Amino acid sequence: QQPVQSPQAVILREGEDAVINCSSSKALYSVHWYRQKHGEAPVFLMILLKGGEQKGHEKISASFNEKKQQSSLYLTASQLSYSGTYFCGTASTGTASKLTFGTGTRLQVTL
Amino acid sequence: DSGVTQTPKHLITATGQRVTLRCSPRSGDLSVYWYQQSLDQGLQFLIQYYNGEERAKGNILERFSAQQFPDLHSELNLSSLELGDSALYFCASSVLAGGQGGELFFGEGSRLTVL
């Protein structure tokens, strides 16, 4: 089943922070985050595994609450380059190959 | 450049026709995934192969089929095409299979237009 992302869209000024949420109705083994710029392929940001630690990449970090079957992506001090559509992907087990993506959150960063 | 090659990049065909999309994964990657992305929509998982074997199936129509060959390239066959099949079809590859499988590397996609 497809994870649910919120918000669907957000507009930020450069330097502002944003949080994108991803929730699933199924128990999760891992959550994957990708960013897709307009007209391009999705690009990997990070993976969070069950029992793992919060991950971070420069000013983008994420958390994974296994009990609530939720993950959040935190974008700090946003830059113009952060604009794009963010997708979370979820896998229910470690051996299951099905990585199901949410409908995406469209982020626009303006000057 | 992700290292994943998809051909053709663009394809225009008529309803009822059949097309084949091809994907060459990154060198060393054993898993190949196919996703469909309609206009302004999310990524719909179609099917996944690992080292030649089907590993997982998503919402793939019966008119669609895929396979992974011994050299690890994969083909997605779409038949009896309908207008609603118009979409961007992405192939992705990874080293491992499964939810712990690490980063997916996406190709640039094959844009299919059915007229």
Side-chain angles (χ1 to χ4, degrees), chain B residues 36-57:
Chain B
Q36 179 193 55
Q37 186 173 44
S38 301
L39 190 62
D40 292 331
Q41 295 295 311
L43 295 156
Q44 297 295 318
F45 173 74
L46 295 178
I47 198 165
Q48 190 249 345
Y49 285 85
Y50 178 76
N51 203 20
E53 293 186 2
E54 182 183 306
R55 274 296 183 96
K57 225 171 190 177

mmCIF file of all heavy atoms in Angstrom, chain B residues 36-57:
data_model
loop_
_atom_site.group_PDB
_atom_site.id
_atom_site.type_symbol
_atom_site.label_atom_id
_atom_site.label_comp_id
_atom_site.label_asym_id
_atom_site.label_seq_id
_atom_site.Cartn_x
_atom_site.Cartn_y
_atom_site.Cartn_z
ATOM 1 N N GLN B 36 6.438 3.301 -13.219
ATOM 2 C CA GLN B 36 5.668 4.115 -14.158
ATOM 3 C C GLN B 36 5.318 5.437 -13.480
ATOM 4 O O GLN B 36 4.865 5.442 -12.330
ATOM 5 C CB GLN B 36 4.380 3.385 -14.551
ATOM 6 C CG GLN B 36 3.485 4.155 -15.504
ATOM 7 C CD GLN B 36 2.091 3.537 -15.612
ATOM 8 O OE1 GLN B 36 1.408 3.343 -14.611
ATOM 9 N NE2 GLN B 36 1.689 3.189 -16.817
ATOM 10 N N GLN B 37 5.561 6.532 -14.190
ATOM 11 C CA GLN B 37 5.209 7.843 -13.648
ATOM 12 C C GLN B 37 4.353 8.588 -14.674
ATOM 13 O O GLN B 37 4.840 9.004 -15.713
ATOM 14 C CB GLN B 37 6.453 8.658 -13.305
ATOM 15 C CG GLN B 37 6.137 9.962 -12.597
ATOM 16 C CD GLN B 37 7.388 10.683 -12.110
ATOM 17 O OE1 GLN B 37 8.382 10.776 -12.823
ATOM 18 N NE2 GLN B 37 7.356 11.201 -10.886
ATOM 19 N N SER B 38 3.076 8.720 -14.347
ATOM 20 C CA SER B 38 2.183 9.487 -15.213
ATOM 21 C C SER B 38 2.351 10.963 -14.901
ATOM 22 O O SER B 38 2.951 11.329 -13.900
ATOM 23 C CB SER B 38 0.736 9.036 -15.003
ATOM 24 O OG SER B 38 0.618 7.664 -15.292
ATOM 25 N N LEU B 39 1.769 11.813 -15.731
ATOM 26 C CA LEU B 39 1.980 13.253 -15.624
ATOM 27 C C LEU B 39 1.681 13.733 -14.213
ATOM 28 O O LEU B 39 0.585 13.532 -13.692
ATOM 29 C CB LEU B 39 1.067 13.966 -16.631
ATOM 30 C CG LEU B 39 1.334 15.454 -16.820
ATOM 31 C CD1 LEU B 39 2.730 15.673 -17.368
ATOM 32 C CD2 LEU B 39 0.290 16.069 -17.720
ATOM 33 N N ASP B 40 2.680 14.355 -13.601
ATOM 34 C CA ASP B 40 2.528 14.925 -12.263
ATOM 35 C C ASP B 40 2.049 13.906 -11.233
ATOM 36 O O ASP B 40 1.404 14.264 -10.254
ATOM 37 C CB ASP B 40 1.563 16.114 -12.277
ATOM 38 C CG ASP B 40 2.160 17.292 -13.033
ATOM 39 O OD1 ASP B 40 3.399 17.408 -13.039
ATOM 40 O OD2 ASP B 40 1.391 18.055 -13.618
ATOM 41 N N GLN B 41 2.379 12.664 -11.450
ATOM 42 C CA GLN B 41 1.993 11.634 -10.498
ATOM 43 C C GLN B 41 3.225 11.043 -9.833
ATOM 44 O O GLN B 41 4.359 11.338 -10.200
ATOM 45 C CB GLN B 41 1.220 10.521 -11.214
ATOM 46 C CG GLN B 41 -0.101 10.976 -11.779
ATOM 47 C CD GLN B 41 -1.070 11.393 -10.687
ATOM 48 O OE1 GLN B 41 -1.282 10.672 -9.712
ATOM 49 N NE2 GLN B 41 -1.642 12.565 -10.829
ATOM 50 N N GLY B 42 2.974 10.212 -8.874
ATOM 51 C CA GLY B 42 4.062 9.547 -8.176
ATOM 52 C C GLY B 42 4.645 8.423 -8.994
ATOM 53 O O GLY B 42 4.311 8.215 -10.152
ATOM 54 N N LEU B 43 5.516 7.688 -8.355
ATOM 55 C CA LEU B 43 6.195 6.566 -8.990
ATOM 56 C C LEU B 43 5.451 5.281 -8.639
ATOM 57 O O LEU B 43 5.451 4.857 -7.487
ATOM 58 C CB LEU B 43 7.637 6.489 -8.493
ATOM 59 C CG LEU B 43 8.527 7.668 -8.872
ATOM 60 C CD1 LEU B 43 9.688 7.799 -7.908
ATOM 61 C CD2 LEU B 43 9.032 7.495 -10.292
ATOM 62 N N GLN B 44 4.847 4.674 -9.639
ATOM 63 C CA GLN B 44 4.113 3.437 -9.421
ATOM 64 C C GLN B 44 5.029 2.251 -9.701
ATOM 65 O O GLN B 44 5.513 2.086 -10.822
ATOM 66 C CB GLN B 44 2.889 3.382 -10.328
ATOM 67 C CG GLN B 44 1.877 4.476 -10.055
ATOM 68 C CD GLN B 44 1.252 4.347 -8.686
ATOM 69 O OE1 GLN B 44 0.911 3.258 -8.228
ATOM 70 N NE2 GLN B 44 1.097 5.477 -8.007
ATOM 71 N N PHE B 45 5.215 1.429 -8.695
ATOM 72 C CA PHE B 45 6.074 0.254 -8.831
ATOM 73 C C PHE B 45 5.417 -0.775 -9.739
ATOM 74 O O PHE B 45 4.255 -1.142 -9.547
ATOM 75 C CB PHE B 45 6.345 -0.339 -7.445
ATOM 76 C CG PHE B 45 7.081 -1.643 -7.471
ATOM 77 C CD1 PHE B 45 8.426 -1.683 -7.763
ATOM 78 C CD2 PHE B 45 6.424 -2.834 -7.197
ATOM 79 C CE1 PHE B 45 9.118 -2.893 -7.776
ATOM 80 C CE2 PHE B 45 7.098 -4.039 -7.208
ATOM 81 C CZ PHE B 45 8.454 -4.074 -7.503
ATOM 82 N N LEU B 46 6.156 -1.259 -10.717
ATOM 83 C CA LEU B 46 5.629 -2.264 -11.627
ATOM 84 C C LEU B 46 6.169 -3.649 -11.291
ATOM 85 O O LEU B 46 5.411 -4.569 -11.003
ATOM 86 C CB LEU B 46 5.975 -1.907 -13.074
ATOM 87 C CG LEU B 46 5.346 -0.618 -13.620
ATOM 88 C CD1 LEU B 46 5.815 -0.372 -15.045
ATOM 89 C CD2 LEU B 46 3.836 -0.681 -13.556
ATOM 90 N N ILE B 47 7.494 -3.791 -11.345
ATOM 91 C CA ILE B 47 8.070 -5.112 -11.165
ATOM 92 C C ILE B 47 9.552 -4.981 -10.863
ATOM 93 O O ILE B 47 10.164 -3.955 -11.174
ATOM 94 C CB ILE B 47 7.830 -5.980 -12.432
ATOM 95 C CG1 ILE B 47 8.001 -7.462 -12.143
ATOM 96 C CG2 ILE B 47 8.704 -5.500 -13.584
ATOM 97 C CD1 ILE B 47 7.429 -8.358 -13.236
ATOM 98 N N GLN B 48 10.100 -6.030 -10.229
ATOM 99 C CA GLN B 48 11.515 -6.032 -9.886
ATOM 100 C C GLN B 48 12.129 -7.394 -10.146
ATOM 101 O O GLN B 48 11.498 -8.432 -9.881
ATOM 102 C CB GLN B 48 11.728 -5.635 -8.425
ATOM 103 C CG GLN B 48 13.187 -5.385 -8.062
ATOM 104 C CD GLN B 48 13.757 -6.426 -7.129
ATOM 105 O OE1 GLN B 48 13.024 -7.186 -6.531
ATOM 106 N NE2 GLN B 48 15.065 -6.447 -7.001
ATOM 107 N N TYR B 49 13.328 -7.389 -10.665
ATOM 108 C CA TYR B 49 14.088 -8.606 -10.912
ATOM 109 C C TYR B 49 15.401 -8.549 -10.162
ATOM 110 O O TYR B 49 15.977 -7.481 -9.977
ATOM 111 C CB TYR B 49 14.375 -8.782 -12.410
ATOM 112 C CG TYR B 49 13.169 -9.220 -13.187
ATOM 113 C CD1 TYR B 49 12.251 -8.284 -13.651
ATOM 114 C CD2 TYR B 49 12.930 -10.570 -13.440
ATOM 115 C CE1 TYR B 49 11.125 -8.685 -14.346
ATOM 116 C CE2 TYR B 49 11.811 -10.975 -14.135
ATOM 117 C CZ TYR B 49 10.918 -10.022 -14.581
ATOM 118 O OH TYR B 49 9.794 -10.422 -15.260
ATOM 119 N N TYR B 50 15.842 -9.720 -9.749
ATOM 120 C CA TYR B 50 17.154 -9.830 -9.112
ATOM 121 C C TYR B 50 17.881 -10.999 -9.756
ATOM 122 O O TYR B 50 17.440 -12.135 -9.665
ATOM 123 C CB TYR B 50 17.024 -10.033 -7.605
ATOM 124 C CG TYR B 50 18.345 -10.193 -6.895
ATOM 125 C CD1 TYR B 50 19.150 -9.093 -6.648
ATOM 126 C CD2 TYR B 50 18.797 -11.448 -6.500
ATOM 127 C CE1 TYR B 50 20.370 -9.227 -6.019
ATOM 128 C CE2 TYR B 50 20.018 -11.586 -5.868
ATOM 129 C CZ TYR B 50 20.802 -10.483 -5.630
ATOM 130 O OH TYR B 50 22.007 -10.610 -5.000
ATOM 131 N N ASN B 51 18.964 -10.694 -10.417
ATOM 132 C CA ASN B 51 19.813 -11.705 -11.041
ATOM 133 C C ASN B 51 19.006 -12.665 -11.921
ATOM 134 O O ASN B 51 19.190 -13.883 -11.854
ATOM 135 C CB ASN B 51 20.562 -12.480 -9.962
ATOM 136 C CG ASN B 51 21.824 -13.134 -10.504
ATOM 137 O OD1 ASN B 51 22.347 -12.730 -11.549
ATOM 138 N ND2 ASN B 51 22.309 -14.147 -9.811
ATOM 139 N N GLY B 52 18.113 -12.108 -12.681
ATOM 140 C CA GLY B 52 17.357 -12.896 -13.639
ATOM 141 C C GLY B 52 16.024 -13.428 -13.154
ATOM 142 O O GLY B 52 15.223 -13.923 -13.950
ATOM 143 N N GLU B 53 15.769 -13.319 -11.865
ATOM 144 C CA GLU B 53 14.520 -13.862 -11.327
ATOM 145 C C GLU B 53 13.587 -12.744 -10.880
ATOM 146 O O GLU B 53 14.039 -11.755 -10.291
ATOM 147 C CB GLU B 53 14.811 -14.770 -10.134
ATOM 148 C CG GLU B 53 15.555 -16.035 -10.491
ATOM 149 C CD GLU B 53 15.699 -16.964 -9.295
ATOM 150 O OE1 GLU B 53 15.187 -16.622 -8.212
ATOM 151 O OE2 GLU B 53 16.318 -18.016 -9.460
ATOM 152 N N GLU B 54 12.311 -12.943 -11.125
ATOM 153 C CA GLU B 54 11.335 -11.982 -10.644
ATOM 154 C C GLU B 54 11.276 -12.025 -9.129
ATOM 155 O O GLU B 54 11.140 -13.092 -8.523
ATOM 156 C CB GLU B 54 9.959 -12.316 -11.226
ATOM 157 C CG GLU B 54 8.872 -11.336 -10.814
ATOM 158 C CD GLU B 54 7.516 -11.758 -11.350
ATOM 159 O OE1 GLU B 54 7.382 -11.965 -12.574
ATOM 160 O OE2 GLU B 54 6.576 -11.876 -10.523
ATOM 161 N N ARG B 55 11.366 -10.854 -8.489
ATOM 162 C CA ARG B 55 11.382 -10.807 -7.031
ATOM 163 C C ARG B 55 10.126 -10.185 -6.437
ATOM 164 O O ARG B 55 9.723 -10.506 -5.336
ATOM 165 C CB ARG B 55 12.594 -10.010 -6.539
ATOM 166 C CG ARG B 55 13.851 -10.804 -6.389
ATOM 167 C CD ARG B 55 13.718 -11.881 -5.321
ATOM 168 N NE ARG B 55 14.936 -12.620 -5.115
ATOM 169 C CZ ARG B 55 15.816 -12.335 -4.162
ATOM 170 N NH1 ARG B 55 15.609 -11.318 -3.356
ATOM 171 N NH2 ARG B 55 16.898 -13.059 -4.027
ATOM 172 N N ALA B 56 9.580 -9.223 -7.125
ATOM 173 C CA ALA B 56 8.392 -8.559 -6.588
ATOM 174 C C ALA B 56 7.574 -7.981 -7.727
ATOM 175 O O ALA B 56 8.118 -7.595 -8.764
ATOM 176 C CB ALA B 56 8.780 -7.455 -5.609
ATOM 177 N N LYS B 57 6.282 -7.981 -7.526
ATOM 178 C CA LYS B 57 5.373 -7.462 -8.525
ATOM 179 C C LYS B 57 4.480 -6.408 -7.901
ATOM 180 O O LYS B 57 3.993 -6.586 -6.785
ATOM 181 C CB LYS B 57 4.504 -8.600 -9.070
ATOM 182 C CG LYS B 57 4.338 -8.627 -10.553
ATOM 183 C CD LYS B 57 3.654 -9.915 -10.990
ATOM 184 C CE LYS B 57 3.693 -10.078 -12.471
ATOM 185 N NZ LYS B 57 3.112 -11.337 -12.933
#
